[in-house]
């Protein structure tokens, strides 16, 4: 790891000021992505601005049918939250299957979506739930937020403050882990909104990161059933091929995970 | 058996310090003035070094020295060597290319060292390593051994045209061909044994300390055999003469073979310590370990197995291409030859066997012994082929094996080995009973009702341990003898120190060896200390690998104990005015049989050291040493059965049952032996289902350089194992021990692949059987 300066702000304003004071500063939340990258000398921020001690980023709330999860909420907190278990158990299930206990007790939802790893779990939930990403500056719909591999609509200095979404009528996440990293080789999040509309988001499989699958959405809108998902043709064309799985294999997994998610929802 | 003697499940004495985080590993060592080394490594798989500019690096903060291979050459440090001579079938010696500890002309794999930085801190050393400018002329690379043999491929070493190191054979080619021509049935297969990264929990490390006043070197290192390290560094690498070099291998966190070899880094730390005038420590990080630890396996073979009309195997013909990587590591040449082809008879009476092995250079990390070393490759090839033959012949796999089992001992195979004892049927029966083999069809039907494909597979392995009779291995090309040494020191108060040439890096010697002494003298194991791993303390020894510490290391201890016992009895007889032949040792006392006369053990020891009243002419003291050279290999064998369920939609395999029935001969500590079996099976499951080193075939970049991409087995990948032992004592050593360290890794992969191919109805499947491969194979079979 290269040497770096550590800062511990206690408000968003202070964090933004610290970040903008240096052009090589980075926010750190759980550090579960950033610190290993620094240890491998693949990142060399001059300053680390720690977001873990900012009260505004904390907390889970469910008001009427709107769910709000503070960006600083750890995966363990999400997985164990009684409010979320009532409002959207699928997201608890998703969080409970991220990494290992150490990672779940450090890593945060804000860090995960800001990082937008193409094999991360949360981005699929955000897309499928039609979530809004709330930053210190703006509110960004999930459809506009995830823009490519490790790319988001965040601008330099933006802090993810929270994510919000409407409680779905039904939702589930089914993940086939990469045997080595246990990130998603393919993960599919299916959600049926209170108004009956269906969104299906796929992570791990796309050559350009998380994406919505129109074919699955159409089929499940017409008929919310595992069989309907199984009948969809998934094109391998835009999918990822690597040493762990070919595009064809991932295309198969998209369908199988979608089917299983619908069955579990 | 006492509660602490032979056969007792004694909890491991060493675990207290390990579980409390108080183990002392090489990286825990710190000496005044110590500095840190970081290596500059080649990012290219194959390149000429045009120039190395160290000037910027030398100006970096904290930097003490930046050293290159050229300076090492100037100082006369020698090439790394391979210590086992193999001759090709045309009689020519193996073609060994030069391996410099730090490359100065050509780099041949990603990770090859090109310079070393010594600095005040690890961070500063790494910063400066990045500032070393190396100008490379990148050359084309080849990583696949089959391809490396083809015409027009990149050439690694001028000494080895066509990248061919040797083209070796064993067995009778004509007899084998004739039997194949006359066969009623021939099963033919292409078998790939996947390349593995050893991944001990503790990465390699070295601390070199040069004492200019004494012109003496000390090396702390992660070694399975510190004396061999000293010998090789003295005799071949010209680091220092043996009496000026102390090698210490303190606690070592796993080796699996990868820490047998002497690597560039420990040589460099010693040399740099003198050059830079400071103690120099290097500790590998995990990616460096993936890049530079010697890998294991990586064979591609074709096999023909011939049967007569009664389903008896009449011949076996094997052609193997073995990937050696970029350089010949210390024992690399022995692995796919005398540790492999000699085991191709398996548990079967096969009249004719012929094996041809070509060893090949590629632009990859060196390949050498890894848990099982040659024997897993032989077992996998044989047991996949036998299983396939059973399917082709329409015979049950157990029946086909039974028809061909060796049943009379000793048995001379056509490939050197002379099996001394065994009962293969006993292990087969025990395994089938434990697995409820006959209940499988019902379990398969039940699984099918859940949409799961259930399969069962077996593997009957044999291996050769107790490595090895020195004269025999010498005649086969070994550069060293493979005996072992022990010294038993009885202190004046009766406590006992055993100095052993074996080295424990997870095997539990401090417990097992102490049990041996406790059994012999009836003393508590707490009064017995096992000393190992330091060339200044322990007499020359050969170290631990090839499951040899029990059969060879403990046999040396037994020989030394015999001498101690004889002298102790003489002393006791003298003290009690009895006849020496009437003395028995029981419960910590020397007694005159049939009387109530006795002398406590400690009193006898005290008498040995006060020397006030010893038999006339007897030397004072009680300390005896012994060297033990085995008369034969030992032959552990067993039967493993795997039962799996495959999810045809995802290709995911779940191991629902795993049975191991092993014959290790006599057992000192069943708990430790079971632990060895469990760990071995876990590694075998890793090889069969999870692990595989991948290089990019064009660029030679290592694609599996971290745990993000290299799949280590985890607890939830493993079932609970059903382990049992059948015992045919080994007639070749005083304890009747065969060895247990590698069996799990040897026997398990074919059982697993036999089970998966049974489940999916497609025999065309390579290791690791990842979900994607199993899915594709199941799909191809119409599932
Ligand atoms: C062993 C291991 C296994 C893992 N397995 C999985 C898995 O199965 N599935 C999965 O999805 N993930 C997995 N992860 C990743 C884990 O979930 C991380 O916690 C997550 O990706 C990043 O969250 P973090 O809070 O640790 O972010 P950090 O590492 O602190 O930061 C990541 C990036 O986001 C930025 N950032 C952090 N917080 C904010 C914010 N509030 N606003 C704006 N930018 C911010 C940082 O500047 C940095 O660039 C794994 C990680 C490890 C180490």
């Amino acid at each position: 790891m290269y040497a770096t300066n550590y800062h511990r702000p206690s408000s968003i304003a202070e964090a933004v000021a610290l970040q903008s004071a240096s052009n090589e500063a980075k926010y750190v939340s759980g550090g579960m992505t950033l610190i290993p990258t620094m240890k491998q000398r693949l990142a060399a921020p001059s300053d680390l601005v720690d977001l873990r001690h900012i009260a505004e980023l904390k907390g889970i709330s469910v008001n009427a049918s709107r769910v709000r999860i503070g960006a600083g909420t750890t995966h363990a907190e999400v997985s164990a939250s009684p409010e979320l278990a009532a409002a959207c158990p699928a997201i608890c299930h998703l969080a409970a299957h991220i990494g290992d206990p150490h990672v779940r007790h450090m890593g945060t939802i804000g860090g995960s979506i800001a990082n937008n790893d193409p094999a991360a779990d949360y981005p699929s939930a955000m897309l499928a739930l039609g979530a809004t990403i709330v930053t210190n500056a703006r509110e960004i719909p999930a459809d506009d937020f995830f823009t490519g591999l490790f790319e988001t609509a965040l601008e330099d200095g933006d802090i993810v403050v929270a994510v919000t979404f409407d409680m779905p009528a039904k939702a589930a996440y089914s993940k086939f882990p990469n045997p080595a990293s246990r990130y998603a080789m393919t993960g599919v999040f299916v959600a049926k909104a209170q108004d009956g509309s269906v969104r299906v988001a796929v992570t791990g499989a796309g050559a350009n990161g998380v994406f919505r699958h129109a074919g699955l959405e159409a089929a499940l809108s017409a008929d919310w059933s595992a069989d309907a998902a199984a009948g969809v043709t998934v094109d391998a064309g835009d999918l990822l091929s690597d040493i762990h799985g070919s595009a064809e294999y991932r295309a198969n997994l998209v369908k199988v995970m979608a089917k299983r998610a619908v069955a579990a929802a | 058996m006492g509660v602490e003697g032979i056969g007792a499940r004694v909890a491991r004495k060493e675990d207290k310090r390990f579980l409390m985080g108080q183990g002392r590993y090489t990286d825990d060592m710190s000496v005044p003035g110590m500095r840190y080394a970081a290596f500059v490594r080649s990012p290219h798989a194959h390149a000429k070094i045009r120039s190395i500019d160290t000037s910027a690096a030398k100006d970096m903060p904290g930097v003490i020295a930046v050293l290159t291979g050229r300076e090492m050459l100037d100082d006369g440090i020698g090439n790394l060597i391979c210590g086992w001579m193999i001759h090709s079938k045309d009689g020519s010696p193996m073609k060994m290319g030069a391996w410099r500890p730090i490359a100065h002309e050509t780099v041949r794999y990603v990770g090859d060292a090109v310079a070393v930085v010594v600095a005040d801190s690890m961070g500063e050393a790494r910063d400066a390593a990045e500032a070393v400018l190396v100008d490379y002329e990148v050359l084309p690379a080849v990583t696949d051994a089959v391809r490396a043999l083809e015409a027009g491929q990149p050439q690694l070493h001028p000494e080895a045209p066509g990248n061919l190191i040797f083209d070796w054979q064993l067995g009778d080619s004509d007899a084998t061909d004739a039997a194949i021509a006359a066969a009623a049935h021939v099963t033919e297969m292409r078998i790939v044994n996947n390349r593995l990264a050893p991944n001990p929990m503790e990465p390699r490390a070295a601390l070199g300390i040069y004492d200019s006043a004494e012109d003496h070197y000390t090396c702390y290192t992660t070694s399975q055999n510190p004396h061999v390290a000293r010998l090789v560094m003295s005799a071949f690498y010209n680091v220092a003469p043996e009496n000026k070099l102390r090698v210490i291998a303190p606690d070592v966190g796993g080796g699996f073979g990868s820490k047998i070899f002497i690597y560039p880094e420990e040589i460099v730390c010693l040399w740099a310590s003198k050059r830079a005038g400071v103690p120099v420590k290097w500790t590998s990080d995990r990616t460096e370990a993936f890049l530079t630890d010697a890998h294991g396996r990586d064979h591609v073979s074709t096999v023909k197995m011939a049967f007569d009309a009664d389903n008896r195997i009449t011949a076996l013909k094997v052609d193997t291409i073995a990937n050696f990587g970029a350089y010949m590591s210390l024992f690399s040449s022995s692995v796919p030859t005398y540790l492999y082809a000699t085991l191709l008879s398996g548990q079967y009476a096969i009249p004719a066997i012929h094996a041809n092995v070509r060893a090949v250079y590629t632009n990859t990390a060196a390949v050498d012994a890894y848990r099982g070393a040659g024997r897993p490759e032989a077992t996998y090839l044989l047991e996949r082929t036998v299983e396939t033959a059973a399917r082709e012949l329409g015979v049950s796999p157990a029946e086909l094996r039974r028809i061909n089992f060796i049943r009379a001992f000793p048995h001379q195979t056509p490939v050197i080995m002379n099996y001394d004892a065994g009962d293969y049927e006993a292990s087969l029966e025990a395994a089938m009973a434990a697995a409820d083999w006959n209940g499988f069809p019902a379990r398969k039907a039940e699984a099918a009702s859940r949409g799961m494909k259930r399969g069962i597979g077996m593997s009957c392995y044999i291996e050769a341990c107790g490595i090895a009779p020195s004269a025999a291995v010498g005649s086969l090309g070994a550069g060293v003898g493979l005996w072992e040494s022990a010294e038993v020191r009885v202190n004046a108060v009766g406590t006992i120190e055993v100095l052993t040439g074996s080295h424990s890096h997870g095997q539990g010697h401090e417990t097992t060896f102490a049990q041996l002494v406790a059994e012999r003298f009836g003393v508590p194991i707490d009064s017995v200390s096992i000393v190992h791993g330091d060339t200044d303390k322990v007499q020359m020894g050969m170290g631990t690998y090839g499951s040899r510490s029990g059969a060879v290391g403990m046999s040396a201890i037994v020989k030394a104990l015999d001498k101690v016992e004889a002298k102790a009895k003489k002393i006791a007889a003298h003290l009690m005015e009895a006849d020496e032949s009437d003395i028995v040792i029981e419960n910590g006392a020397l007694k005159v049989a049939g009387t109530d006369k006795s002398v406590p053990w400690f009193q006898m020891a005290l008498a040995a050291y006060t020397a006030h009243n010893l038999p006339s002419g007897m030397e004072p003291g009680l300390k005896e040493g012994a060297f033990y050279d085995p008369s034969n290999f030992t032959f552990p064998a067993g039967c493993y059965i795997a039962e799996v369920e495959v999810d045809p939609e995802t290709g995911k395999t779940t191991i629902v049952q795993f049975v191991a029935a092993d014959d290790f001969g006599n057992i000192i500590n069943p708990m430790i032996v079971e632990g060895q079996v469990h760990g071995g099976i876990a590694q075998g499951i890793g090889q069969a289902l999870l692990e595989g080193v991948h290089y990019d075939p064009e660029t030679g970049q290592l694609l599996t350089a971290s745990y993000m991409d290299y799949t280590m087995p985890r607890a939830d990948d493993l079932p609970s194992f059903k382990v049992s032992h059948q015992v045919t004592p080994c007639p070749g050593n005083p304890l009747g021990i065969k060895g247990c360290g590698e069996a799990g890794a040897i026997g398990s992969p074919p059982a697993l692949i036999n089970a998966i191919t049974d489940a999916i109805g497609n025999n065309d499947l390579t290791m690791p059987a990842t979900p994607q491969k199993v899915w594709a194979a199941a799909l191809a079979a119409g599932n």
Side-chain angles (χ1 to χ4, degrees), chain B residues 380-404:
Chain B
Y380 184 68
L381 176 136
L382 208 55
E383 290 303 293
R384 284 285 291 129
T385 308
V386 169
E387 190 86 10
T388 302
R391 290 172 194 170
E392 290 176 359
L393 293 165
V395 195
S396 91
E399 189 53 27
L400 188 60
R401 287 176 169 91
R402 281 198 176 105
I403 292 172
N404 288 287

mmCIF file of all heavy atoms in Angstrom, chain B residues 380-404:
data_model
loop_
_atom_site.group_PDB
_atom_site.id
_atom_site.type_symbol
_atom_site.label_atom_id
_atom_site.label_comp_id
_atom_site.label_asym_id
_atom_site.label_seq_id
_atom_site.Cartn_x
_atom_site.Cartn_y
_atom_site.Cartn_z
ATOM 1 N N TYR B 380 -4.941 -41.155 -11.033
ATOM 2 C CA TYR B 380 -6.048 -40.564 -11.791
ATOM 3 C C TYR B 380 -6.159 -41.225 -13.160
ATOM 4 O O TYR B 380 -7.244 -41.615 -13.599
ATOM 5 C CB TYR B 380 -5.842 -39.050 -11.935
ATOM 6 C CG TYR B 380 -6.985 -38.362 -12.631
ATOM 7 C CD1 TYR B 380 -8.231 -38.263 -12.018
ATOM 8 C CD2 TYR B 380 -6.833 -37.835 -13.909
ATOM 9 C CE1 TYR B 380 -9.303 -37.651 -12.652
ATOM 10 C CE2 TYR B 380 -7.894 -37.223 -14.556
ATOM 11 C CZ TYR B 380 -9.126 -37.129 -13.924
ATOM 12 O OH TYR B 380 -10.181 -36.529 -14.562
ATOM 13 N N LEU B 381 -5.014 -41.377 -13.791
ATOM 14 C CA LEU B 381 -5.004 -41.979 -15.124
ATOM 15 C C LEU B 381 -5.543 -43.412 -15.072
ATOM 16 O O LEU B 381 -6.413 -43.811 -15.846
ATOM 17 C CB LEU B 381 -3.567 -41.945 -15.657
ATOM 18 C CG LEU B 381 -3.308 -42.599 -17.005
ATOM 19 C CD1 LEU B 381 -2.402 -41.697 -17.851
ATOM 20 C CD2 LEU B 381 -2.624 -43.940 -16.828
ATOM 21 N N LEU B 382 -5.032 -44.150 -14.111
ATOM 22 C CA LEU B 382 -5.397 -45.569 -14.028
ATOM 23 C C LEU B 382 -6.855 -45.746 -13.623
ATOM 24 O O LEU B 382 -7.597 -46.533 -14.221
ATOM 25 C CB LEU B 382 -4.480 -46.196 -12.973
ATOM 26 C CG LEU B 382 -4.150 -47.653 -13.076
ATOM 27 C CD1 LEU B 382 -3.559 -47.971 -14.440
ATOM 28 C CD2 LEU B 382 -3.143 -48.006 -11.985
ATOM 29 N N GLU B 383 -7.278 -45.018 -12.611
ATOM 30 C CA GLU B 383 -8.616 -45.255 -12.068
ATOM 31 C C GLU B 383 -9.718 -44.671 -12.950
ATOM 32 O O GLU B 383 -10.842 -45.160 -12.950
ATOM 33 C CB GLU B 383 -8.690 -44.717 -10.634
ATOM 34 C CG GLU B 383 -7.861 -45.571 -9.678
ATOM 35 C CD GLU B 383 -8.315 -47.033 -9.716
ATOM 36 O OE1 GLU B 383 -9.443 -47.325 -9.282
ATOM 37 O OE2 GLU B 383 -7.547 -47.888 -10.208
ATOM 38 N N ARG B 384 -9.398 -43.639 -13.696
ATOM 39 C CA ARG B 384 -10.369 -43.176 -14.702
ATOM 40 C C ARG B 384 -10.482 -44.216 -15.811
ATOM 41 O O ARG B 384 -11.557 -44.488 -16.332
ATOM 42 C CB ARG B 384 -9.913 -41.832 -15.301
ATOM 43 C CG ARG B 384 -10.126 -40.633 -14.405
ATOM 44 C CD ARG B 384 -11.588 -40.203 -14.332
ATOM 45 N NE ARG B 384 -12.056 -39.643 -15.602
ATOM 46 C CZ ARG B 384 -13.161 -40.026 -16.221
ATOM 47 N NH1 ARG B 384 -13.917 -40.982 -15.722
ATOM 48 N NH2 ARG B 384 -13.525 -39.463 -17.361
ATOM 49 N N THR B 385 -9.334 -44.805 -16.175
ATOM 50 C CA THR B 385 -9.345 -45.754 -17.280
ATOM 51 C C THR B 385 -10.047 -47.057 -16.874
ATOM 52 O O THR B 385 -10.846 -47.600 -17.639
ATOM 53 C CB THR B 385 -7.899 -46.025 -17.751
ATOM 54 O OG1 THR B 385 -7.255 -44.770 -17.995
ATOM 55 C CG2 THR B 385 -7.886 -46.844 -19.018
ATOM 56 N N VAL B 386 -9.770 -47.544 -15.684
ATOM 57 C CA VAL B 386 -10.423 -48.781 -15.232
ATOM 58 C C VAL B 386 -11.938 -48.576 -15.166
ATOM 59 O O VAL B 386 -12.723 -49.422 -15.598
ATOM 60 C CB VAL B 386 -9.872 -49.216 -13.852
ATOM 61 C CG1 VAL B 386 -10.715 -50.334 -13.249
ATOM 62 C CG2 VAL B 386 -8.431 -49.668 -13.987
ATOM 63 N N GLU B 387 -12.340 -47.420 -14.636
ATOM 64 C CA GLU B 387 -13.773 -47.145 -14.520
ATOM 65 C C GLU B 387 -14.418 -47.078 -15.916
ATOM 66 O O GLU B 387 -15.506 -47.621 -16.138
ATOM 67 C CB GLU B 387 -13.973 -45.809 -13.787
ATOM 68 C CG GLU B 387 -15.397 -45.521 -13.401
ATOM 69 C CD GLU B 387 -15.789 -46.138 -12.061
ATOM 70 O OE1 GLU B 387 -14.901 -46.625 -11.335
ATOM 71 O OE2 GLU B 387 -17.001 -46.135 -11.767
ATOM 72 N N THR B 388 -13.714 -46.429 -16.819
ATOM 73 C CA THR B 388 -14.231 -46.317 -18.188
ATOM 74 C C THR B 388 -14.321 -47.701 -18.832
ATOM 75 O O THR B 388 -15.300 -48.034 -19.509
ATOM 76 C CB THR B 388 -13.315 -45.392 -19.010
ATOM 77 O OG1 THR B 388 -13.258 -44.130 -18.353
ATOM 78 C CG2 THR B 388 -13.823 -45.209 -20.430
ATOM 79 N N ALA B 389 -13.291 -48.507 -18.578
ATOM 80 C CA ALA B 389 -13.306 -49.867 -19.127
ATOM 81 C C ALA B 389 -14.490 -50.650 -18.577
ATOM 82 O O ALA B 389 -15.166 -51.381 -19.318
ATOM 83 C CB ALA B 389 -11.992 -50.568 -18.784
ATOM 84 N N ALA B 390 -14.774 -50.489 -17.293
ATOM 85 C CA ALA B 390 -15.905 -51.210 -16.707
ATOM 86 C C ALA B 390 -17.201 -50.822 -17.422
ATOM 87 O O ALA B 390 -18.034 -51.680 -17.729
ATOM 88 C CB ALA B 390 -16.006 -50.898 -15.211
ATOM 89 N N ARG B 391 -17.330 -49.530 -17.701
ATOM 90 C CA ARG B 391 -18.539 -49.086 -18.410
ATOM 91 C C ARG B 391 -18.583 -49.679 -19.815
ATOM 92 O O ARG B 391 -19.628 -50.126 -20.272
ATOM 93 C CB ARG B 391 -18.569 -47.553 -18.490
ATOM 94 C CG ARG B 391 -18.827 -46.919 -17.139
ATOM 95 C CD ARG B 391 -18.657 -45.402 -17.170
ATOM 96 N NE ARG B 391 -18.593 -44.900 -15.804
ATOM 97 C CZ ARG B 391 -18.267 -43.659 -15.467
ATOM 98 N NH1 ARG B 391 -17.961 -42.779 -16.409
ATOM 99 N NH2 ARG B 391 -18.231 -43.306 -14.215
ATOM 100 N N GLU B 392 -17.429 -49.680 -20.485
ATOM 101 C CA GLU B 392 -17.405 -50.221 -21.854
ATOM 102 C C GLU B 392 -17.663 -51.716 -21.865
ATOM 103 O O GLU B 392 -18.310 -52.239 -22.769
ATOM 104 C CB GLU B 392 -16.036 -49.933 -22.502
ATOM 105 C CG GLU B 392 -15.830 -48.451 -22.806
ATOM 106 C CD GLU B 392 -14.436 -48.129 -23.352
ATOM 107 O OE1 GLU B 392 -13.605 -49.069 -23.489
ATOM 108 O OE2 GLU B 392 -14.181 -46.958 -23.634
ATOM 109 N N LEU B 393 -17.120 -52.415 -20.865
ATOM 110 C CA LEU B 393 -17.238 -53.878 -20.831
ATOM 111 C C LEU B 393 -18.563 -54.327 -20.209
ATOM 112 O O LEU B 393 -18.883 -55.520 -20.230
ATOM 113 C CB LEU B 393 -16.069 -54.476 -20.027
ATOM 114 C CG LEU B 393 -14.676 -54.314 -20.645
ATOM 115 C CD1 LEU B 393 -13.584 -54.609 -19.622
ATOM 116 C CD2 LEU B 393 -14.521 -55.229 -21.859
ATOM 117 N N GLY B 394 -19.295 -53.398 -19.637
ATOM 118 C CA GLY B 394 -20.553 -53.775 -19.015
ATOM 119 C C GLY B 394 -20.373 -54.588 -17.740
ATOM 120 O O GLY B 394 -21.204 -55.423 -17.389
ATOM 121 N N VAL B 395 -19.260 -54.333 -17.048
ATOM 122 C CA VAL B 395 -18.986 -55.019 -15.782
ATOM 123 C C VAL B 395 -19.104 -53.978 -14.673
ATOM 124 O O VAL B 395 -18.830 -52.804 -14.906
ATOM 125 C CB VAL B 395 -17.538 -55.555 -15.744
ATOM 126 C CG1 VAL B 395 -17.346 -56.562 -14.629
ATOM 127 C CG2 VAL B 395 -17.142 -56.123 -17.073
ATOM 128 N N SER B 396 -19.465 -54.387 -13.475
ATOM 129 C CA SER B 396 -19.508 -53.397 -12.400
ATOM 130 C C SER B 396 -18.082 -52.964 -12.092
ATOM 131 O O SER B 396 -17.143 -53.763 -12.191
ATOM 132 C CB SER B 396 -20.181 -53.976 -11.159
ATOM 133 O OG SER B 396 -19.219 -54.558 -10.315
ATOM 134 N N PRO B 397 -17.925 -51.698 -11.722
ATOM 135 C CA PRO B 397 -16.557 -51.209 -11.470
ATOM 136 C C PRO B 397 -15.869 -51.982 -10.349
ATOM 137 O O PRO B 397 -14.653 -52.204 -10.399
ATOM 138 C CB PRO B 397 -16.752 -49.743 -11.103
ATOM 139 C CG PRO B 397 -18.208 -49.503 -10.960
ATOM 140 C CD PRO B 397 -18.929 -50.630 -11.616
ATOM 141 N N ALA B 398 -16.620 -52.408 -9.361
ATOM 142 C CA ALA B 398 -16.004 -53.173 -8.275
ATOM 143 C C ALA B 398 -15.552 -54.535 -8.792
ATOM 144 O O ALA B 398 -14.460 -55.009 -8.477
ATOM 145 C CB ALA B 398 -16.990 -53.342 -7.128
ATOM 146 N N GLU B 399 -16.399 -55.140 -9.612
ATOM 147 C CA GLU B 399 -16.074 -56.471 -10.121
ATOM 148 C C GLU B 399 -14.814 -56.430 -10.984
ATOM 149 O O GLU B 399 -13.921 -57.266 -10.851
ATOM 150 C CB GLU B 399 -17.276 -56.994 -10.936
ATOM 151 C CG GLU B 399 -17.183 -58.451 -11.356
ATOM 152 C CD GLU B 399 -16.902 -59.396 -10.196
ATOM 153 O OE1 GLU B 399 -17.270 -59.068 -9.049
ATOM 154 O OE2 GLU B 399 -16.269 -60.453 -10.430
ATOM 155 N N LEU B 400 -14.750 -55.431 -11.865
ATOM 156 C CA LEU B 400 -13.579 -55.357 -12.747
ATOM 157 C C LEU B 400 -12.307 -55.189 -11.913
ATOM 158 O O LEU B 400 -11.263 -55.772 -12.215
ATOM 159 C CB LEU B 400 -13.726 -54.199 -13.737
ATOM 160 C CG LEU B 400 -12.639 -54.152 -14.815
ATOM 161 C CD1 LEU B 400 -12.626 -55.424 -15.657
ATOM 162 C CD2 LEU B 400 -12.804 -52.930 -15.714
ATOM 163 N N ARG B 401 -12.401 -54.420 -10.873
ATOM 164 C CA ARG B 401 -11.219 -54.230 -10.025
ATOM 165 C C ARG B 401 -10.883 -55.534 -9.312
ATOM 166 O O ARG B 401 -9.716 -55.930 -9.239
ATOM 167 C CB ARG B 401 -11.453 -53.082 -9.044
ATOM 168 C CG ARG B 401 -11.422 -51.710 -9.739
ATOM 169 C CD ARG B 401 -11.749 -50.588 -8.782
ATOM 170 N NE ARG B 401 -11.474 -49.266 -9.349
ATOM 171 C CZ ARG B 401 -12.355 -48.529 -10.027
ATOM 172 N NH1 ARG B 401 -13.578 -48.973 -10.256
ATOM 173 N NH2 ARG B 401 -12.011 -47.338 -10.499
ATOM 174 N N ARG B 402 -11.894 -56.179 -8.774
ATOM 175 C CA ARG B 402 -11.645 -57.448 -8.052
ATOM 176 C C ARG B 402 -10.956 -58.474 -8.944
ATOM 177 O O ARG B 402 -10.037 -59.160 -8.517
ATOM 178 C CB ARG B 402 -12.974 -58.045 -7.587
ATOM 179 C CG ARG B 402 -13.528 -57.399 -6.347
ATOM 180 C CD ARG B 402 -14.576 -58.320 -5.719
ATOM 181 N NE ARG B 402 -15.060 -57.751 -4.476
ATOM 182 C CZ ARG B 402 -16.259 -57.163 -4.343
ATOM 183 N NH1 ARG B 402 -17.103 -57.119 -5.366
ATOM 184 N NH2 ARG B 402 -16.601 -56.650 -3.192
ATOM 185 N N ILE B 403 -11.422 -58.571 -10.178
ATOM 186 C CA ILE B 403 -10.848 -59.560 -11.105
ATOM 187 C C ILE B 403 -9.344 -59.326 -11.247
ATOM 188 O O ILE B 403 -8.574 -60.262 -11.399
ATOM 189 C CB ILE B 403 -11.529 -59.444 -12.499
ATOM 190 C CG1 ILE B 403 -12.982 -59.887 -12.419
ATOM 191 C CG2 ILE B 403 -10.775 -60.245 -13.553
ATOM 192 C CD1 ILE B 403 -13.764 -59.618 -13.718
ATOM 193 N N ASN B 404 -8.959 -58.076 -11.142
ATOM 194 C CA ASN B 404 -7.570 -57.731 -11.456
ATOM 195 C C ASN B 404 -6.674 -57.449 -10.244
ATOM 196 O O ASN B 404 -5.475 -57.204 -10.409
ATOM 197 C CB ASN B 404 -7.553 -56.536 -12.414
ATOM 198 C CG ASN B 404 -7.998 -56.928 -13.804
ATOM 199 O OD1 ASN B 404 -7.261 -57.595 -14.532
ATOM 200 N ND2 ASN B 404 -9.244 -56.575 -14.164
#
